[in-house]
Amino acid sequence: MNIVVLIKQVPDTWSERKLSDGDKTLDRASSDAVLDEINERAVEEALKIKEAGDAEVTILTAGPDRATDAIRKALSMGADKAVHVNDEAIHGSDAIATAKVLAKAIGTVGDVDLVLAGNEATDGRSGAMAGMLGELLGWPSLTHANELTVENGTAKAKRETDEGTSDLEASLPAVVSVGEKINEPRYPSFKGIMAAKKKPVTTLGIADLGLDASEVGLAGSLVQVDSFAPRPPKSGGQKVEDEGDGGAKIAEYLVGQKLI
Amino acid sequence: MAVDRLLPTDEARALIELTREVADKELATRVDDHERGDGTYPEGLFRTLGETGLLGLPYPEEYGGGAQPYEVYLQVLEELAARWATVAVTTSVHGLACFPVATFGTEEQKQEWLPRMLAGELVGGYSLSEPHAGSDAAALRCRAEKDDDGDYRITGEKAWITHGGKADFYALFARTGEGSRGVTCFLAPGHTEGLTFGRPEEKMGLHAVPTTSATWDGGLLSADRRIGDEGQGLPIAFAALDSGRLGIAACAVGLAQAALDAAVDYANERQTFGKRIVDHQGLGFVLADMAAAVDSARATYLDAARRKDAGVPYSRQASVAKLVATDAAMKVTTDAVQVFGGAGYTRDFPVERYMREAKIMQIFEGTNQIQRLVISRHFAR
């Protein structure tokens, strides 16, 4: 089986995240960059399929030079090889333009059976990539999977929502996005880190994908950031004196917020 | 704040990064749960460390080790100790327990045991001390009697075994003859008929991993479990301890670094007399002395490690490192409690634990008095 795992390098959620004043895109220099945690779960799921049977796991990312660190991390966990789409023209792409790039890049990997992704990145949070890719590739997309089994040419996923649980099933090839609860990702091993250095990473520009600069980047995007403002600082909140009726007052507040 | 380390290779940098990730997620999050009260054993943790490759770092790749120089391995131990001293000490002891097979074992013995030991599938303890033979190891009495098949029957009492009762194997030293040339080293399985462990000691710190005595009542060890020659035991034990005490020096520095970091954080928050206590010179100088002690202790163990890596004698430097680093840890952790004031004396903050953990570092793997003895012997002409 041929599995592609989409990964994304994101600003560390613990560091201050900013947009740049110029073109209103992510200011990558202002924060530490890490492999998005949800991607580690997607990689783990691919590795589990590989260990249960036979699969080749290819990591795919679109990102600048330093995204190689995120690729190395995924390779050190045990993936076999990687494709890195690195082109200045992609800078500023919205979700749809990014999906176009990734769909073309998936096409370079050969006969792909399964594309795995996280359900939502911690930076852009569009949560739409798996659906968009399914559309562009003409494949079914099973999103927000908290359980996944792949056998006999079929992917079965369990999706949990506030309303209930859905059992999803699709024939391969398919796109699956995974949720937080799907697994606990392994740590890379020291040997895995050493081995990752020797694994092949193919670097592609958009020309290699048959795309034109006008189709991607800020120019090729339907969505552009018009203005932005930092989140206002937390206000002091509401203080309630407990005069023996503290419990009731807390309940009143929660009811007011429609939390209970 | 992460220690700014000068590391020799990209490989080492990646290893330290991995260690910090694992230590932050697996050690720092669990340490309080397992160290509180009498302590609970962190089931599965050493398996995880083994899977990530952290339990075989200073040993050759061909047996599954990480082939790292001591200079790098010790800094990994330091990072572990800064989160959880017990785990770092137990990791160091595991390395000590692997030493006899890795260094004095036959090719067959290495092939048979080392890969599982270095992968952490088998975690080891070290069993040299006895109730009346601690610093004076040559006074040990536990006997190994050879039977007609060439196997050995072990009879006697052992003491102060880190990981006792939990480890999968022990580097065991027992007497096959008289005098200092009458001790022999064995690789004893953790579960052997005739081997029982005492009730875990009630310790001042390092609560999460038991320290026990052991009673050998005629337990049988097959001939292939003898490491080295009969009578070679004490030289093996002391060679292991030379490298083992470097491990303890690194653990002590990690502990001291953690105490310094906690004290610096607190001194930047706590206000007295209208300013942060870090801005009071009297307190700032305490922090400066703590930092100087941590840095100099680290430099001392790194010097000894580089000598070992270069293949030149390092026994004296290892003893200096153990002495300097553990005394520094005692002083720095005590001062950290002082920086915290009354709060530092409570279990709401980690510094009282650091102070309790530092004390044992001055005692085990050769008391600091023994280190002085080792050092001063180098001066006798």
Side-chain angles (χ1 to χ4, degrees):
Chain A
M1 186 145 65
N2 195 354
I3 304 175
V4 170
V5 184
L6 307 182
I7 66 160
K8 186 175 186 186
Q9 191 182 44
V10 296
D12 194 335
T13 47
W14 296 105
S15 60
E16 194 191 356
R17 293 175 287 179
K18 290 194 293 200
L19 298 184
S20 62
D21 292 325
D23 62 5
K24 303 183 180 63
T25 60
L26 177 65
D27 180 2
R28 292 180 195 272
S30 74
S31 54
D32 295 335
V34 297
L35 173 60
D36 203 349
E37 274 186 33
I38 194 73
N39 296 154
E40 290 182 31
R41 295 180 201 276
V43 173
E44 176 67 34
E45 205 57 24
L47 296 177
K48 281 163 92 173
I49 294 169
K50 177 182 159 134
E51 283 160 2
D54 186 28
E56 180 165 61
V57 179
T58 305
I59 300 300
L60 169 60
T61 195
D65 291 347
R66 73 170 176 176
T68 49
D69 293 341
I71 292 172
R72 287 288 166 215
K73 174 104 193 249
L75 291 176
S76 65
M77 288 175 72
D80 300 296
K81 60 190 174 70
V83 174
H84 182 183
V85 185
N86 184 359
D87 198 316
E88 186 51 34
I90 301 171
H91 176 82
S93 296
D94 65 2
I96 292 176
T98 306
K100 276 191 237 168
V101 172
L102 293 176
K104 291 281 188 189
I106 289 165
T108 69
V109 181
D111 289 329
V112 173
D113 301 290
L114 179 65
V115 173
L116 281 165
N119 58 5
E120 180 183 278
T122 52
D123 56 353
R125 301 198 64 177
S126 74
M129 195 51 60
M132 289 178 176
L133 273 175
E135 186 66 22
L136 289 171
L137 294 165
W139 298 354
S141 55
L142 311 182
T143 58
H144 295 258
N146 276 344
E147 271 180 54
L148 176 66
T149 47
V150 177
E151 51 191 10
N152 306 323
T154 305
K156 291 182 189 173
K158 207 175 265 298
R159 173 198 292 159
E160 282 171 42
T161 65
D162 292 345
E163 281 75 37
T165 306
S166 314
D167 290 302
L168 313 171
E169 187 174 329
S171 55
L172 299 180
V175 183
V176 176
S177 74
V178 305
E180 292 286 341
K181 289 183 187 161
I182 193 156
N183 58 41
E184 275 308 313
R186 70 196 63 191
Y187 292 104
S189 69
F190 182 47
K191 285 195 180 67
I193 290 171
M194 294 301 103
K197 292 188 173 168
K198 299 187 187 94
K199 290 177 178 172
V201 179
T202 309
T203 305
L204 302 173
I206 56 165
D208 300 312
L209 302 176
L211 287 167
D212 185 79
S214 63
E215 297 174 82
V216 297
L218 285 167
S221 291
L222 299 173
V223 179
Q224 283 179 15
V225 177
D226 183 49
S227 66
F228 65 90
R231 189 207 312 250
K234 281 186 185 149
S235 61
Q238 186 183 332
K239 275 191 186 152
V240 178
E241 289 291 324
D242 182 9
E243 289 157 2
D245 57 352
K249 282 187 172 154
I250 288 172
E252 240 169 63
Y253 174 80
L254 292 173
V255 169
Q257 298 290 317
K258 298 205 165 96
L259 289 168
I260 55 173
Chain B
M1 204 170 66
V3 177
D4 185 9
R5 301 182 183 282
L6 277 179
L7 294 161
T9 57
D10 282 344
E11 193 172 279
R13 279 182 278 278
L15 175 59
I16 290 292
E17 202 176 312
L18 172 68
T19 305
R20 284 176 177 159
E21 183 188 354
V22 174
D24 283 341
K25 289 189 187 161
E26 300 289 333
L27 270 50
T29 52
R30 294 167 73 180
V31 56
D32 283 338
D33 289 344
H34 291 283
E35 288 293 335
R36 289 268 157 89
D38 293 336
T40 52
Y41 186 74
E43 296 292 344
L45 180 59
F46 290 99
R47 192 83 202 84
T48 303
L49 294 181
E51 282 166 2
T52 53
L54 298 186
L55 294 186
L57 289 174
Y59 293 108
E61 247 173 334
E62 58 178 312
Y63 305 107
Q68 288 304 295
Y70 253 63
E71 175 186 359
V72 175
Y73 160 62
L74 294 180
Q75 296 192 69
V76 168
L77 278 184
E78 196 200 310
E79 291 284 343
L80 296 177
R83 276 69 162 199
W84 194 347
T86 309
V87 172
V89 165
T90 308
T91 300
S92 179
V93 169
H94 171 72
L96 184 71
C98 295
F99 183 92
V101 181
T103 315
F104 295 92
T106 63
E107 190 53 38
E108 289 78 33
Q109 288 173 323
K110 290 187 203 176
Q111 301 272 3
E112 168 79 16
W113 290 305
L114 265 187
R116 281 177 292 158
M117 287 157 64
L118 301 184
E121 286 167 36
L122 302 175
V123 179
Y126 194 75
S127 188
L128 172 66
S129 295
E130 296 184 3
H132 47 81
S135 292
D136 184 10
L140 71 84
R141 292 179 197 160
C142 181
R143 300 206 69 87
E145 279 162 305
K146 200 191 287 200
D147 67 14
D148 296 342
D149 300 327
D151 299 334
Y152 293 85
R153 288 222 171 260
I154 314 293
T155 310
E157 297 286 331
K158 289 298 199 179
W160 308 119
I161 305 164
T162 301
H163 228 156
K166 287 281 187 185
D168 302 298
F169 70 92
Y170 298 91
L172 170 72
F173 297 87
R175 195 163 276 294
T176 46
E178 299 310 313
S180 62
R181 296 198 181 146
V183 175
T184 301
C185 177
F186 298 91
L187 182 73
H191 299 282
T192 304
E193 205 173 318
L195 165 63
T196 52
F197 293 91
R199 198 167 60 87
E201 305 291 347
E202 293 183 29
K203 292 174 290 185
M204 188 171 172
L206 305 188
H207 289 150
V209 170
T211 302
T212 71
S213 59
T215 302
W216 285 89
D217 188 11
L220 191 66
L221 295 181
S222 54
D224 65 341
R225 286 186 168 273
R226 192 190 78 214
I227 308 298
D229 297 329
E230 276 194 14
Q232 204 185 354
L234 281 183
I236 292 175
F238 293 144
L241 285 173
D242 270 348
S243 55
R245 59 187 47 142
L246 279 178
I248 296 308
C251 290
V253 172
L255 188 55
Q257 180 72 52
L260 170 63
D261 289 347
V264 167
D265 285 349
Y266 189 76
N268 275 284
E269 280 171 22
R270 173 76 176 167
Q271 306 256 345
T272 59
F273 305 104
K275 56 183 178 181
R276 300 176 308 175
I277 60 174
V278 68
D279 294 325
H280 293 290
Q281 194 180 57
L283 202 287
F285 278 14
V286 173
L287 294 174
D289 283 343
M290 290 164 72
V294 172
D295 288 6
S296 54
R298 180 178 296 120
T300 308
Y301 88 64
L302 285 175
D303 173 61
R306 286 170 186 146
R307 292 183 64 90
K308 176 173 162 59
D309 293 333
V312 298
Y314 68 98
S315 173
R316 179 171 91 84
Q317 286 80 3
S319 283
V320 169
K322 201 270 183 184
L323 172 64
V324 167
T326 60
D327 281 356
M330 194 69 248
K331 176 154 194 335
V332 169
T333 55
T334 305
D335 285 347
V337 172
Q338 192 72 20
V339 169
F340 275 73
Y345 199 66
T346 71
R347 301 211 165 161
D348 295 338
F349 295 93
V351 287
E352 63 81 28
R353 170 166 66 81
Y354 299 153
M355 188 175 159
R356 287 185 284 110
E357 289 167 342
K359 187 62 222 175
I360 190 60
M361 308 256 174
Q362 295 178 304
I363 297 170
F364 58 20
E365 297 211 16
T367 64
N368 284 6
Q369 285 66 39
I370 290 294
Q371 306 307 329
R372 289 179 172 92
L373 194 65
V374 172
I375 298 162
S376 62
R377 274 180 185 160
H378 284 83
F379 300 137
R381 298 201 177 105

